[in-house]
Amino acid sequence: MKKVISIISSFFLYNTPSYSQLTIISTGTTTTLNQISIIENHIVINGQSNYLVKSYDECNTLIPLTVP
């Protein structure tokens, strides 16, 4: 009985809901985005069709990068 109570209590302790904020980033492109990374406090977004941009200000402005 002790094991059942500990299993049930652990279920409720570890399955608490979490909340987060979602921000929609308008990239100005119709290409499929593959990855959004944070590198040294900079946001880097890359996608198909040679799309690569970086941002210093939480995606308020996107700076296109040249693709090698």
Side-chain angles (χ1 to χ4, degrees), residues 36-44 54-58:
I36 298 175
S37 305
I38 298 175
I39 302 171
E40 296 179 4
N41 293 329
H42 307 300
I43 298 171
V44 178
K54 69 178 174 180
S55 176
Y56 297 107
D57 57 359
E58 297 180 0

Side-chain angles (χ1 to χ4, degrees), residues 1-67:
M1 186 68 176
K2 223 177 191 182
K3 289 182 182 182
V4 172
I5 291 173
S6 64
I7 291 172
I8 291 173
S9 64
S10 67
F11 176 77
F12 286 112
L13 289 175
Y14 294 111
N15 288 322
T16 57
S18 61
Y19 303 97
S20 64
Q21 181 178 354
L22 177 67
T23 303
I24 305 297
I25 301 170
S26 175
T27 59
T29 183
T30 57
T31 188
T32 302
L33 299 180
N34 292 334
Q35 185 176 12
I36 298 175
S37 305
I38 298 175
I39 302 171
E40 296 179 4
N41 293 329
H42 307 300
I43 298 171
V44 178
I45 304 170
N46 64 351
Q48 296 175 350
S49 304
N50 296 333
Y51 182 76
L52 184 64
V53 295
K54 69 178 174 180
S55 176
Y56 297 107
D57 57 359
E58 297 180 0
C59 290
N60 291 320
T61 56
L62 299 174
I63 303 166
L65 299 173
T66 56
V67 179

